[in-house]
Amino acid sequence: MVFDIKTLILINFLVNFVNVFVAAIIWHQYKRRFPGLTWLLSCMIMEAAGICCILFNGIIPDIFSIILGNGMMLIGWVFLQIGLERFTGKPGPQIQNFIILVLFFINETYFLYIQPNLTIREVGMELVIVLIDLQICYLLWRRVSGNMQKVTQIIAIVMGIHLTFSILIFGLEILIPFKGNRFFLSGIIGEIIPTTYLVMGILVIIALIMMVTSRLLEEIRVQEEKFNTAFHSSPYAILITRASDGVIFEINDGFTAITGYQPDEVLGKTTVELSILEKPKDRTLLVTDVSKGKVRGVQVEIRAKSGKIISGLFSADIVTINSEQCILSSISDVTELKHTEQTLIQANRKLNLLSSITRHDILNRIMVVQFYGEELIVNLPEDSFQKEIKAITQSTSEIRTIIEFTGQYQELGSAAPEWQNIGLLFTIPEIQKFLAPLSFQSDLGSLEIYADLMLRKVVYNLVENSHRHGRNLTRITLSSHRDNDNLVIWYEDDGGGIPLDEKEKSFEKGYGKNTGLGLFLIREILSITGITIHETGDPGIGVRFEINIPEGKYRYTTTNTEHV
């Protein structure tokens, strides 16, 4: 009989050792995801350690093999309760368990050393197990609710069975007292206890594994539900394609609403087969941008199923789905906005025409004022209002200069911005006449920026500004570098630079020796598409105009034709 009970306890230890191993794997994989797993692992460790101490009963002192061994098992059971509370988000006080454990150790010590009685010790231990089981069952059956109740359903059933067996064993220990004072010689009741808890130990670890798995699956289900809701309720046309061959395998309701294509007409095909992108050039440029990781807000034209051309803003990211690289693309329909934009542009053109006519009439009258003013200066005696007439003609001349200068900018904002190769703008004749005697270097290559059509005037004014104000000017250089997602272009010369106290003032309207509008209008033109400009050069050395271009407003042209 001694061998049989000890063998059962040994099997219990081996099972609990495996439980520790399994719990450690779960803890390692999900410790950052689910709270309470550290306590559950600690429960398994304490259970295994307690049984190990009991195995050495008769070899090591009773204080270790009986009091400490049984105590560690009960502490492990308290850890199970704490772990389940943390896992379910229902933490509770533990003072009652602390009191129960203290009373247990007192009972165990008294009836081991002072008045030895195995039955009272075992009854006391089983009572503690019943009390802890009651708390765990109350937690799982009453305190937990909602989706978490579904997650803990299996462990709740197992703990209910555990409580039932604990009560039955508690009753058997009272009805059938133990034989003698040594557990290994306790007879049939001593065999029932380790056999019962061996089975229950296996059920508990299986239930815990199922609990964690169930919660993981529930979270995945919730995330999928959120994704599907967001995916299909989005007003944008969203599609997911394989990066390897460009085949579309998912579209949302917004895609159908915007393009008119039903899922069965799209899935399994490519955007090339559907001819969704109206301009092949757009596709080539988008391929280049997507290959770098992501695209934001690129203007494209797409062809709907009906043949209607839709203006859209295209964005894309490279994502991994089922270990395969895919492209998540979205297109927002801005057709109505484009129509509104065109309407505003037409209105602006009409205003520009009116402004041009008005400016022409004003200049004609200014010429009359200047002509007669000069005639008066020639024909009147020198002491007859010569000073006043000269002041009038001088002011009239300045007014004429300002009006003629602003006439150059009447087209500002009259057309939609476009992609423009900024490097090529430096090759036009009116700018080359300034660059011819200088050393000019540029690393911009095929860089294009999305800017107002007056970008040409920006380049002209920068070069003309260097030519007009540079002292002993010999070189102009263009360079670029990335600043996070933005691109920064440096325009630099060696013409002496701008004093520190004038750097920002130089961009103010009316500041400067000429019209005072050159740098002011440069900043205004660039700001139409969110581009900023500042002067950061070293005074006494040269200017450095730092042009900051936001993400989505610059690109590099290429002939790549991979799948999008």
Side-chain angles (χ1 to χ4, degrees):
M1 190 63 67
V2 174
F3 177 79
D4 290 339
I5 295 178
K6 198 160 189 176
T7 300
L8 289 170
I9 294 176
L10 176 61
I11 296 172
N12 256 287
F13 170 74
L14 294 175
V15 169
N16 276 273
F17 182 78
V18 173
N19 289 351
V20 170
F21 180 74
V22 173
I25 293 175
I26 295 174
W27 172 82
H28 179 71
Q29 290 180 333
Y30 304 115
K31 60 183 177 181
R32 297 183 184 276
R33 193 181 190 96
F34 304 134
L37 294 186
T38 300
W39 289 99
L40 297 180
L41 174 60
S42 300
C43 163
M44 298 302 166
I45 293 173
M46 293 297 286
E47 287 285 313
I51 294 174
C52 182
C53 289
I54 293 172
L55 268 176
F56 286 96
N57 182 244
I59 300 174
I60 60 177
D62 288 347
I63 191 172
F64 297 112
S65 64
I66 297 177
I67 298 176
L68 182 61
N70 289 332
M72 291 176 71
M73 292 176 66
L74 293 179
I75 292 172
W77 216 238
V78 173
F79 285 172
L80 175 64
Q81 178 187 338
I82 296 173
L84 291 172
E85 287 180 341
R86 299 293 174 86
F87 186 87
T88 57
K90 300 288 185 179
Q94 297 301 319
I95 184 64
Q96 73 282 1
N97 289 326
F98 176 77
I99 294 172
I100 290 171
L101 289 173
V102 169
L103 293 175
F104 163 77
F105 280 111
I106 293 172
N107 179 79
E108 196 82 354
T109 304
Y110 181 83
F111 289 103
L112 176 64
Y113 290 110
I114 299 176
Q115 188 176 339
N117 190 317
L118 176 60
T119 299
I120 295 179
R121 293 205 317 271
E122 289 300 317
V123 168
M125 182 171 180
E126 204 60 43
L127 178 60
V128 174
I129 295 174
V130 169
L131 292 174
I132 298 173
D133 279 355
L134 283 170
Q135 295 178 69
I136 294 174
C137 287
Y138 181 75
L139 165 71
L140 299 175
W141 289 96
R142 300 293 296 175
R143 294 173 60 196
V144 173
S145 59
N147 289 335
M148 186 59 69
Q149 200 169 43
K150 298 178 182 178
V151 170
T152 59
Q153 187 175 21
I154 300 298
I155 187 66
I157 293 172
V158 169
M159 291 310 301
I161 295 171
H162 194 283
L163 172 61
T164 301
F165 277 108
S166 297
I167 293 173
L168 289 175
I169 293 172
F170 177 74
L172 284 174
E173 288 176 344
I174 295 175
L175 294 174
I176 308 174
F178 285 88
K179 296 178 181 180
N181 203 37
R182 308 300 295 182
F183 186 76
F184 290 161
L185 302 173
S186 56
I188 186 68
I189 190 66
E191 294 176 1
I192 292 174
I193 293 173
T195 302
T196 301
Y197 287 121
L198 170 63
V199 175
M200 293 310 304
I202 295 172
L203 290 178
V204 167
I205 191 64
I206 292 174
L208 290 176
I209 294 171
M210 294 179 68
M211 179 184 72
V212 173
T213 304
S214 179
R215 181 165 180 180
L216 183 63
L217 292 174
E218 177 65 16
E219 288 196 356
I220 292 173
R221 185 194 65 78
V222 171
Q223 291 301 321
E224 285 182 346
E225 190 174 281
K226 288 180 180 178
F227 170 79
N228 285 331
T229 301
F231 186 76
H232 289 289
S233 64
S234 172
Y236 304 127
I238 303 177
L239 64 159
I240 305 176
T241 60
R242 284 198 299 264
S244 58
D245 55 14
V247 170
I248 302 169
F249 64 87
E250 188 69 74
I251 63 170
N252 73 333
D253 296 341
F255 185 91
T256 299
I258 291 175
T259 66
Y261 285 105
Q262 297 298 320
D264 58 348
E265 299 174 302
V266 173
L267 301 182
K269 297 181 181 179
T270 68
T271 55
V272 176
E273 292 174 314
L274 295 170
S275 299
I276 291 177
L277 290 175
E278 172 68 10
K279 298 179 181 177
K281 180 184 176 183
D282 284 344
R283 182 176 176 278
T284 301
L285 294 173
L286 290 176
V287 167
T288 304
D289 292 339
V290 170
S291 66
K292 297 175 184 177
K294 62 181 177 180
V295 177
R296 291 290 181 273
V298 176
Q299 289 201 4
V300 296
E301 290 184 349
I302 60 175
R303 181 183 293 274
K305 180 182 177 180
S306 63
K308 176 185 176 182
I309 303 302
I310 299 171
S311 297
L313 291 180
F314 178 88
S315 299
D317 286 278
I318 294 178
V319 297
T320 300
I321 300 176
N322 294 330
S323 302
E324 184 175 23
Q325 274 202 336
C326 301
I327 299 172
L328 175 64
S329 308
S330 67
I331 304 171
S332 59
D333 185 356
V334 295
T335 305
E336 291 302 319
L337 290 177
K338 293 290 288 185
H339 289 165
T340 303
E341 180 183 49
Q342 291 298 324
T343 301
L344 291 174
I345 288 173
Q346 291 298 325
N348 197 26
R349 285 175 177 169
K350 293 178 181 179
L351 290 173
N352 286 337
L353 177 61
L354 177 61
S355 175
S356 176
I357 294 171
T358 304
R359 183 169 53 253
H360 182 266
D361 291 343
I362 292 173
L363 287 174
N364 285 340
R365 285 157 179 74
I366 286 176
M367 288 177 63
V368 172
V369 173
Q370 279 188 303
F371 174 78
Y372 284 111
E374 290 168 357
E375 286 293 311
L376 288 172
I377 291 173
V378 172
N379 296 322
L380 288 177
E382 293 185 4
D383 58 348
S384 302
F385 304 104
Q386 287 277 349
K387 180 178 179 181
E388 289 81 357
I389 293 173
K390 286 180 179 180
I392 291 172
T393 56
Q394 177 64 29
S395 294
T396 304
S397 177
E398 291 173 356
I399 292 171
R400 178 177 180 176
T401 300
I402 292 172
I403 292 175
E404 288 176 343
F405 183 83
T406 55
Q408 299 175 37
Y409 293 89
Q410 71 177 21
E411 297 300 320
L412 178 62
S414 62
E418 292 183 2
W419 289 101
Q420 301 169 68
N421 187 310
I422 190 169
L424 289 179
L425 294 178
F426 283 84
T427 65
I428 60 179
E430 62 183 350
I431 294 175
Q432 278 293 310
K433 70 180 180 181
F434 294 123
L435 296 177
L438 305 176
S439 170
F440 176 71
Q441 294 181 332
S442 171
D443 70 356
L444 301 188
S446 61
L447 172 68
E448 291 186 350
I449 67 174
Y450 189 69
D452 187 86
L453 294 180
M454 293 297 292
L455 181 64
R456 173 174 178 166
K457 201 65 183 177
V458 170
V459 173
Y460 178 88
N461 274 2
L462 287 174
V463 177
E464 195 271 342
N465 185 76
S466 294
H467 177 76
R468 179 186 297 274
H469 300 292
R471 299 187 300 273
N472 301 318
L473 182 69
T474 64
R475 66 173 176 81
I476 292 176
T477 61
L478 290 174
S479 60
S480 64
H481 66 275
R482 295 290 293 270
D483 181 13
N484 296 322
D485 292 329
N486 295 348
L487 182 74
V488 177
I489 296 177
W490 281 354
Y491 172 96
E492 299 175 278
D493 70 24
D494 62 350
I498 301 175
L500 288 174
D501 60 343
E502 296 183 15
K503 287 182 179 294
E504 276 303 305
K505 290 181 181 179
S506 62
F507 290 97
E508 294 177 2
K509 183 179 179 181
Y511 189 85
K513 299 177 182 178
N514 197 19
T515 61
L517 293 174
L519 293 180
F520 168 76
L521 287 170
I522 283 176
R523 178 171 279 183
E524 291 300 307
I525 293 169
L526 294 176
S527 69
I528 289 175
T529 52
I531 301 171
T532 60
I533 183 170
H534 299 278
E535 206 289 315
T536 60
D538 297 320
I541 297 178
V543 298
R544 182 198 296 128
F545 287 105
E546 190 172 290
I547 303 171
N548 193 296
I549 308 169
E551 179 188 13
K553 299 300 173 64
Y554 65 89
R555 67 187 186 186
Y556 291 89
T557 56
T558 182
T559 57
N560 195 327
T561 58
E562 295 179 15
H563 297 288
V564 173

